[in-house]
DNA sequence: ATTATTGTATTAAGTGTCTAATACAATAAT
DNA sequence: ATTATTGTATTAGACACTTAATACAATAAT
């Protein structure tokens, strides 16, 4: 489970992974997260690195920690929903930026996207 | 012109920028690049950082340097073409990965993409 | 021949990330 | 009451990236 790319800080990559799990409801509102130590084992990184990712998520109010009980996903549905929308738009804008710089037209882009989705459904 | 994001090494970001300029023919085959020192001024970074980006590009055979003359874009059209295709596919796959993790459907994705293109054309 | 310009190399210092080891604080579980 | 488990904090060291300052090598321009 060495899933990290070397060019981006690991704590940011962990943040992003957990954010995705929250907005896609793999982690539900109020659900308890694994402990810092367990996540560190799971991700094969130092507990401090997980701690850093989690405190950033706490800064965004996406998780709350009760000392000695554990950490829980926020129950603020509006916050989660608006974060999801924001993440979607950011991915879309970045993609269209990139693809335009590569001189790919709108029609070609759509074809590529459809093709990629098609390939995923077959496997 | 402080266009760099802090979480990715600058030399990689410069590499990516120049690669995009080559595959999109803003830099033509055999065209001379600015000097290391000029690029450093232009990007507002240390010459060593530019040097690192350029020697990576040289490792990929995308540029060649003639000592004391300067650096030139490769004239290998096949290489450039296949790099472009590879970059496109990588952006597409990454986008579809991300968007699926955000629980966005194929149809919704297409709508978002079309919308983003539409907005660009009006401004 | 001399000078200027090119790419290249080296050394030192500063910063951020990550790990390791350890400890503390609060409280649920026993 | 005691113990175990939770989040949190601290200190030290290793490593990669970046900057700064400087120098060298090769050759085009003069």
């Amino acid at each position: 489970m060495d899933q990290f790319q070397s060019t981006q800080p690991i704590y940011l990559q962990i943040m992003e992974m957990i954010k995705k799990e929250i907005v896609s409801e793999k982690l539900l509102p109020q659900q308890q997260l694994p402990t810092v130590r367990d996540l560190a084992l799971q991700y094969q990184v130092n507990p401090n690195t997980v701690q850093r990712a989690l405190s950033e998520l706490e800064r965004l109010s996406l998780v709350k920690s009760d000392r000695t009980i554990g950490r829980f996903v926020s129950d603020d549905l509006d916050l989660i929903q608006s974060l999801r929308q924001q993440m979607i738009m950011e991915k879309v804008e970045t993609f269209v930026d990139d693809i335009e710089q590569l001189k790919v037209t709108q029609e070609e882009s759509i074809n590529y996207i459809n093709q990629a989705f098609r390939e995923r459904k077959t496997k």
Side-chain angles (χ1 to χ4, degrees), chain A:
Chain A
M1 234 205 250
D2 244 8
Q3 72 273 62
F4 300 109
Q5 51 157 334
S6 60
T7 62
Q8 190 91 350
I10 295 173
Y11 79 95
L12 289 179
Q13 297 183 56
I14 293 179
M15 254 189 96
E16 185 77 3
M17 289 169 65
I18 298 179
K19 277 169 66 180
K20 280 180 177 167
E21 291 183 358
I22 293 177
V23 303
S24 66
E25 297 175 294
K26 284 178 66 174
L27 288 173
L28 296 174
Q30 296 185 328
Q31 181 173 346
Q32 181 164 13
L33 293 169
T35 69
V36 170
R37 293 165 177 84
D38 281 351
L39 285 171
L41 284 177
Q42 179 180 323
Y43 292 137
Q44 290 288 300
V45 298
N46 192 279
N48 297 338
T49 305
V50 173
Q51 170 69 19
R52 177 145 187 202
L54 291 175
S55 39
E56 291 292 320
L57 290 174
E58 200 144 353
R59 207 176 40 77
L60 302 179
S61 305
L62 278 172
V63 303
K64 287 272 176 250
S65 63
D66 264 347
R67 200 153 184 159
T68 79
I69 307 185
R71 261 203 188 73
F72 300 86
V73 176
S74 163
D75 60 353
D76 185 339
L77 299 180
D78 286 348
L79 176 65
I80 293 173
Q81 175 55 28
S82 87
L83 173 64
R84 174 170 179 269
Q85 200 57 36
Q86 174 191 320
M87 290 175 77
I88 292 171
M89 293 317 291
E90 192 252 322
K91 299 295 182 191
V92 170
E93 295 296 331
T94 301
F95 174 72
V96 175
D97 274 348
D98 284 339
I99 217 71
E100 281 199 321
Q101 283 179 75
L102 291 172
K103 300 285 187 199
V104 178
T105 68
Q106 179 171 356
E107 290 72 24
E108 286 165 345
S109 304
I110 302 296
N111 288 340
Y112 283 127
I113 301 282
N114 281 328
Q115 178 67 20
F117 269 103
R118 232 176 290 132
E119 275 161 11
R120 274 148 212 257
K121 283 171 187 158
T122 63
K123 61 165 180 272

